[in-house]
Amino acid sequence: MNNLAASFQTAVVDALVTKTFEAAEQFHARDIVVAGGVSANRALRKAFTDQKHFVVHIPHFPYALIMR
């Protein structure tokens, strides 16, 4: 079951990051903002911050966990 969950997370992170970067390129964006509950996912945060093409803004981890 752990492998299934990890594989699913990897696929979702890859899809979100790829589509976000494609859209940013298409619209000539320089900055990307990752916010909301999804910004608390460590794998997603790492995938966005590991790239060098865009300035990525992500709230500090404790603030990503605050829900209203």
Side-chain angles (χ1 to χ4, degrees), residues 11-64:
V12 170
V13 166
D14 183 53
L16 288 172
V17 170
T18 300
K19 291 193 178 286
T20 300
F21 290 151
E22 287 173 355
E25 288 175 2
Q26 179 181 354
F27 293 102
H28 307 288
R30 293 179 295 176
D31 294 48
I32 294 172
V33 176
V34 181
V38 71
S39 68
N41 182 284
R42 286 185 178 95
L44 190 67
R45 294 170 77 88
K46 182 170 176 13
F48 273 109
T49 57
D50 280 354
Q51 60 75 43
K52 303 294 181 219
H53 301 291
F54 299 97
V55 176
V56 178
H57 303 277
I58 304 174
H60 292 289
F61 189 75
Y63 302 115

